[in-house]
Amino acid sequence: MNIPAPYLLYLGAATDPLSIKTSRGVADWRRELCVGQRRLPGCDLTLGLDDLSYSEAVARGAKTMILGEANAGGVLSEVSAREVVAALDSGLNVASGLHQRLAQHPDIRAAAQRTGQLLFDVREPPADLPIGNGRPRPGRRLLTVGTDCSVGKMYTSLALERELRRQGRLADFRATGQTGILIAGSGVPIDAVVADFIAGAAEWLSPARSDGGWDIIEGQGSLFHPSYAGVSLGLLHGSQPNALVMCHEPTRTHMRGLPGRALPSLKECLLANLEAAQVTQPEVVAVGVALNTSKLDEASARGLCEQVEHELNLPCEDPIAMGASKIVRRLLECFPDGTAAGAGMFSRCRIGTAARAR
Amino acid sequence: MNIPAPYLLYLGAATDPLSIKTSRGVADWRRELCVGQRRLPGCDLTLGLDDLSYSEAVARGAKTMILGEANAGGVLSEVSAREVVAALDSGLNVASGLHQRLAQHPDIRAAAQRTGQLLFDVREPPADLPIGNGRPRPGRRLLTVGTDCSVGKMYTSLALERELRRQGRLADFRATGQTGILIAGSGVPIDAVVADFIAGAAEWLSPARSDGGWDIIEGQGSLFHPSYAGVSLGLLHGSQPNALVMCHEPTRTHMRGLPGRALPSLKECLLANLEAAQVTQPEVVAVGVALNTSKLDEASARGLCEQVEHELNLPCEDPIAMGASKIVRRLLECFPDGTAAGAGMFSRCRIGTAARAR
């Protein structure tokens, strides 16, 4: 799946900011690929892009409309289905992260056939995924892991990619969820693959690489989330990560969707991830902790980061509010240029061992 | 899925003993449900059952033919497809563990529609599986876990069910693979569900139970197998097991399918499983080790069991060659009648803690 850019972002008649989080993700992280937004009457939200009709979007070079508005259930409304048909008829491809597949709607299927435009259902996994084999492969890979779902793994991954690129390094975000895939233009919806293929899908997503660049792989779920830990473990094994960054939302009172179930401690979660990762990458190291501090004031946020740094001997920052430079610095210290992955690491990179010893 | 018994076991023209392992599993474990076998000319294998035609099988009460012969690729041969049609026309349902779905073959689909007989594709997961929720549920559950794939988890589970029933206890084997499902007549092909639903499928398979009986859940894969560990972890979390039995094949030189990759040690593997299981069942205990000693002479087998018992302070036996009574004795010591699951355990049941301390 390679979704042709640039994009027109569809907001529909949305009034709930959460319902456009996919469009917002693309606008936040790939603004240079967005030529405008398409809103219907009643929509009082904006991404700050120009409001365009389909023909205007095509005139400005748009190749694909991104259906970045989701109502409850991830189902396509009839209004939106008519808009999709109009977009196809105007010469746009259409990409969707909805649970319901575009091609299942008869009018949309007919319009795609009539126009020759492409439909992208990003929740549809590739057809020929391999079974994972765990064989060591060259390349440098960083995986974001978390104490829970929805703690900022995608935003952290993208912030790390941005910071590495800013410093002139090769780095590529590898997407594993629908919003990430729409941002990257490619990826694999890891939670939608058949269970036997989770690790294989992760191997497929981050193949052998020899240009010295980093694959920054978007983590999913948590080893401690009783609904999704299998996905997290298969992704961890298949990613064969050289480096882990741990993501956490410090005000979360219980595991997402499971009132009464406490989150693991950062240390417990970090050690469990390092141990599990060693099955396919014995030299794995942790290089930082990313906190989502959006619900804290700045002083509390900075205090908490310092506390975590002291506790775990790892750089800790909020990659959105504070930037990702401290984590990237540690990453580059642990993996200096010109060395094979994992070689030449400073002893301070052996955080797993150090944290365990305490 | 509830496959009507009794069964006629189809062997086709098989000459390779491995190709009929599904039929053999059913004959080994549910002989009382097997009225006969169906062989084609050229088949020189036997399960020791009467050779029957389809009409003879129906006359003896058979309800379902089990397609228990698999060639490479799990594809249905044209010869076998014609036999399936003949079985349907004679009044038998047909159940298959093949990768290829019965209903995808046009002649078979037409015959099923014509006759009203049922087709069971046991690798097709149920349609409405829930997402796992990890909420504690009543009941007593034992899960078999392993150092690798194909080390005897299904045979161990069935031997534990048999021994518990022999002692007059309520116990039910819960199948998670195609052969197990054909033996049990129900179950869920856990490796074929969509990744997000692994834990939910395990919860669905072993729901709340209040009659004091045990669910003996068939494990899959290994937390240390880089291809399938995600399946193993989701199954472990969703099963919420009170008790674990660790399965191992002591002559295995590398992880199945992955030459050069060593197996974990029993202790390492046991501790990893206990730790991961604690996410949904904080009181989980290990109650035994099951060795597949079929490749050892008896003296070596007994010596090895003693050695493992000494090392791990757990009963160790080969449940097929030696029976499962020692493991069942420990299980019933740890969970005496009339106590809630996990309550009243002897301190010796706390093997996880003891093994870690060494």
Side-chain angles (χ1 to χ4, degrees), chain B residues 27-358:
Chain B
D28 280 353
W29 291 100
R30 291 294 181 268
R31 200 159 195 91
E32 71 281 9
L33 299 183
C34 301
V35 302
Q37 63 190 14
R38 165 70 176 164
R39 299 193 291 179
L40 301 184
C43 179
D44 55 4
L45 304 171
T46 180
L47 300 172
L49 297 164
D50 293 346
D51 286 299
L52 302 179
S53 70
Y54 298 123
S55 54
E56 288 167 344
V58 170
R60 293 208 197 174
K63 295 279 185 294
T64 303
M65 176 167 91
I66 290 187
L67 206 64
E69 179 249 348
N71 49 21
V75 177
L76 191 68
S77 70
E78 275 311 301
V79 172
S80 291
R82 281 195 296 276
E83 294 293 318
V84 168
V85 169
L88 291 166
D89 279 331
S90 302
L92 290 165
N93 307 303
V94 177
S96 160
L98 294 180
H99 190 70
Q100 185 181 336
R101 306 292 193 257
L102 290 170
Q104 282 177 349
H105 192 290
D107 295 350
I108 294 176
R109 190 172 56 241
Q113 284 167 351
R114 183 170 68 238
T115 61
Q117 297 303 127
L118 302 173
L119 300 177
F120 297 95
D121 281 303
V122 304
R123 272 199 178 157
E124 186 73 33
D128 292 317
L129 289 172
I131 294 281
N133 61 48
R135 277 196 292 272
R137 59 187 187 278
R140 288 174 165 185
R141 290 172 297 277
L142 181 151
L143 175 70
T144 50
V145 296
T147 52
D148 195 2
C149 302
S150 307
V151 291
K153 290 182 285 284
M154 188 188 80
Y155 270 64
T156 297
S157 302
L158 286 159
L160 290 167
E161 179 199 51
R162 181 165 64 188
E163 178 60 22
L164 282 162
R165 288 182 173 187
R166 201 186 60 76
Q167 297 188 23
R169 309 275 173 168
L170 292 173
D172 296 286
F173 170 69
R174 303 296 181 200
T176 59
Q178 65 261 26
T179 303
I181 293 170
L182 287 168
I183 291 171
S186 65
V188 63
I190 195 91
D191 59 6
V193 308
V194 167
D196 247 3
F197 296 89
I198 306 170
E203 294 181 0
W204 175 89
L205 180 68
S206 57
R209 179 169 186 167
S210 58
D211 62 359
W214 281 90
D215 278 354
I216 310 294
I217 304 166
E218 178 191 6
Q220 291 291 338
S222 164
L223 287 186
F224 290 84
H225 198 295
S227 311
Y228 308 116
V231 174
S232 307
L233 182 61
L235 177 56
L236 183 60
H237 282 172
S239 295
Q240 223 172 86
N242 307 86
L244 297 181
V245 170
M246 179 81 159
C247 303
H248 180 59
E249 207 284 59
T251 69
R252 190 73 55 92
T253 54
H254 59 76
M255 296 293 275
R256 187 172 163 86
L258 303 173
R261 176 172 287 275
L263 271 70
S265 75
L266 281 173
K267 181 174 161 183
E268 180 184 14
C269 189
L270 185 61
L271 291 177
N273 274 280
L274 286 166
E275 275 189 27
Q278 284 165 5
V279 167
T280 57
Q281 183 65 272
E283 300 295 308
V284 61
V285 293
V287 296
V289 176
L291 295 185
N292 174 352
T293 64
S294 55
K295 292 180 183 160
L296 300 178
D297 63 52
E298 194 185 328
S300 307
R302 296 210 174 267
L304 188 59
C305 287
E306 278 172 33
Q307 188 188 321
V308 170
E309 291 196 342
H310 181 73
E311 241 176 61
L312 295 179
N313 188 28
L314 283 173
C316 175
E317 58 199 337
D318 181 330
I320 304 307
M322 308 169 187
S325 60
K326 284 161 66 175
I327 296 174
V328 164
R329 189 182 318 129
R330 175 68 67 93
L331 177 70
L332 297 176
E333 281 172 3
C334 288
F335 298 89
D337 271 350
T339 64
M345 288 186 300
F346 297 173
S347 62
R348 63 191 283 219
C349 298
R350 292 255 168 222
I351 184 63
T353 319
R356 169 179 292 281
R358 290 182 190 185

